[in-house]
Structure formats: structure tokens, C-alpha cells
Amino acid sequence: MIPYEEIKVPVAGGELAAVRWPAGDPAAPVVVALHGITANALSWGPVARLLAGRVTLVAPDLRGRAGSSGLPGPYGIAAHADDVAALTESLGPDRVVLAGHSMGAFVAAFAAVRHPERFGPLLLVDGGIGFPAPVHLSPDELMTAVIGPAMDRLSMTFADRAAYRAFWQAHPAFAGAWSDEVDAYIQRDLTGTEPALRSTCRIEAVRTDGIGLFDEEVLSAVRRLPVEATLLWAARGLMDEEQGLYDEKRLAAADLAGTRLTPVAVRDVNHYTVLTGDRGGREIADRLVAYARQGGRRSGSAGAAAVRDHEVPRR
């Protein structure tokens, strides 16, 4: 793990926690990156390393997760979009490059439409393009169909951190793809005391957000983007299965003609390792740097002074 800083910024109802990996040059551009539905800011750790100090990367713990688990509702995609806009305002007046993985990609697209003055180009990672919900499913059935195993984890307890590590190492998506960065990411999710550690994710927040992904306004955001965007889609799925969330046929059915979104396949990765592995992480890092140089804001000292922060030691 490379060194990072913890920061907090004021949002509706309290403070949003975030992680900042400073660039080597204080004048380097800033990128804001959003995690998935049951993830946290440190899921972006591998990308931060591969950025190699070329930009400053800021990743929040979204409302209801990790360091932001204490933030109250209302939850939902619009609430996250407003939180992210508040985060960027605390960093300074200029627009920033915005990236998002999985649910974070939907938030990024919606934030760009809802707050066009805050964001420059977008990088969506295996998310952001959705499909209407089957009308015969109840909200709970819908959530089970979309992220059933992840929802189950939120109700589980673990005897210690080693047990949580073993739980995740048995996940098919991480077979042969474990690292200290992935370990730091999953450990950030834990709260409580042994032998009853549990996920920080608030089930109410996850449920509200998951159902919100099928809202028509959220689904249509990629068709209304005010800025250029790229979708990096993983060839393999959440359980490392051959069928990913997207493929050429599904993207053709989505009919992206006339939008500002360009889909790009990332081979030999799954829904998780497109972000946490070196192959996908390098693709993300290089595209973020290109976008940032194209029109990202400068980090400067004003943004650093606008938030309350402290440095976290190397892990």
C-alpha cells in the first residue's frame, strides 16, 4: 500500500469520509473515484499505486459505508451524487475528472447530469449502463437477483479479521488475485469487536441504492451526459463467470448511438479485478491520467486547506 491521507468533508447530515492519495506534484490534476455498492474507498488502492503520483486521487466512502457509515439517510443515487458534488466543492472551484466502479459508475453518470458544473470527463468501470427491472420481481427479489451473495454478507459476523480474509479469499473472483491492497480494502469494511465483527455497510443504504439503480432517471443518465465518457467493461462477471455484466450483444441492445459514451472491453478480468488487479488497474490509471491532462483541475493548496485531514501511515 502506498501512503494515503484520511479526509472528511461536510455534507447533508454530517461528514463524508474520503481517502486521498496525493500526487508527486502539488499542482497535478485531481481525480475523484467512486466505489461499488458494498465496497469502500480503498477498493481504488491498486489504481492509486499504478497512477504513480501522476494525479491526486480522492475516493470517498459513500454514505452508509466504512468511514461514512454513520451518515444518516436518505440514501439513494441522488444522495450520493449530491455528496460527491459537495466533496468536489471542498476541493476547489474547478471541475474534476470523475470515475466510478459498478454502482459508483451509475453515481458518476447521474452526478454529471445533476451537477454538470462540477465534473469534467467520466470514466465508468463495469457499470453505469443498466436495464429495466423485470416487472414480476418485488424489490427484495430484485436485490437478491442483483447482489444476493453480497447482501448475505452484510448480515454475517466474523470471529476475527483472519476469518473475514478467509471468507474473501474463497471468493471465485479473487482466486489467484489476492494482494495486500485487496486485503486493506476488505479490512476497511469491518467494524465491531471480536468475535462478532461485521460489515460497516448499512443494509438499508445498500437496499435503497440497489433498487435505485433501476430508476428511470438513473438508467437514462448515460444518454444525457454533458461530457465525454468511456465505459471500461470487464469480460467476466462478479463470480468470475464467463458472462460479464456487459458484452457486445448487451451493449448493442443498449443502443448507445448518439450518446457521448464509448465502450471499451478489458479482457482477462472480472467485475472485481478490473479495478483491483494490475491489468485492469493499469488501463484505468492511464485513461484517468489522459482525461486529467485533457481538462482536470489542479490540486493546489486551497483544496487541501478546505478539508480536515491527517496522514495515515504506510500499511
Side-chain angles (χ1 to χ4, degrees):
M1 285 287 293
I2 62 172
Y4 59 87
E5 303 165 349
E6 298 273 0
I7 65 175
K8 289 185 180 292
V9 299
V11 295
E15 291 183 314
L16 187 76
V19 167
R20 179 172 60 203
W21 289 272
D25 179 359
V30 171
V31 171
V32 171
L34 312 178
H35 62 72
I37 193 165
T38 62
N40 61 69
L42 286 188
S43 62
W44 287 88
V47 171
R49 169 175 51 82
L50 293 163
L51 283 169
R54 291 174 288 175
V55 302
T56 288
L57 181 65
V58 178
D61 290 325
L62 295 176
R63 184 178 292 258
R65 286 86 169 165
S68 302
S69 63
L71 278 173
Y75 306 108
I77 306 305
H80 293 312
D82 292 347
D83 286 346
V84 174
L87 170 63
T88 63
E89 287 171 6
S90 76
L91 297 173
D94 301 319
R95 301 199 305 172
V96 303
V97 173
L98 184 61
H101 172 245
S102 194
M103 183 196 78
F106 287 88
V107 175
F110 194 68
V113 172
R114 191 174 174 92
H115 301 281
E117 75 285 356
R118 296 306 317 162
F119 304 107
L122 302 182
L123 185 64
L124 310 182
V125 182
D126 219 34
I129 299 175
F131 302 91
V135 294
H136 64 283
L137 295 181
S138 70
D140 285 333
E141 290 171 332
L142 184 61
M143 287 302 298
T144 299
V146 175
I147 58 165
M151 285 294 284
D152 292 343
R153 171 174 57 84
L154 305 188
S155 300
M156 297 171 64
T157 58
F158 299 86
D160 53 31
R161 290 184 175 273
Y164 198 50
R165 180 180 299 113
F167 173 86
W168 274 105
Q169 287 178 328
H171 195 296
F174 290 103
W178 199 256
S179 67
D180 289 344
E181 292 158 333
V182 171
D183 192 66
Y185 149 48
I186 65 105
Q187 296 295 342
R188 186 176 178 86
D189 180 47
L190 282 182
T191 189
T193 57
E194 299 179 1
L197 297 172
R198 58 179 175 78
S199 171
T200 61
C201 295
R202 287 187 155 189
I203 293 178
E204 179 190 355
V206 172
R207 186 178 184 276
T208 301
D209 295 345
I211 294 170
L213 294 177
F214 295 92
D215 182 87
E216 179 55 37
E217 206 176 4
V218 173
L219 290 175
S220 67
V222 292
R223 305 182 185 284
R224 298 179 287 131
L225 293 176
V227 292
E228 176 186 354
T230 299
L231 166 68
L232 296 179
W233 57 273
R236 303 180 69 84
L238 280 78
M239 303 297 286
D240 200 44
E241 68 271 33
E242 289 189 12
Q243 177 62 62
L245 295 180
Y246 305 110
D247 57 24
E248 286 86 355
K249 184 176 180 180
R250 289 180 178 179
L251 290 170
D255 189 18
L256 299 172
T259 71
R260 305 186 73 170
L261 182 66
T262 302
V264 176
V266 184
R267 306 298 178 186
D268 302 320
V269 297
N270 60 49
H271 179 72
Y272 290 96
T273 59
V274 68
L275 180 65
T276 63
D278 278 7
R279 181 188 296 273
R282 187 170 293 109
E283 180 83 16
I284 293 169
D286 289 346
R287 287 181 180 272
L288 288 178
V289 170
Y291 267 161
R293 288 174 175 168
Q294 182 179 312
R297 71 172 291 277
R298 302 291 169 180
S299 54
S301 58
V307 294
R308 175 166 55 82
D309 60 359
H310 65 275
E311 188 167 349
V312 174
R314 184 182 296 271
R315 300 183 64 148

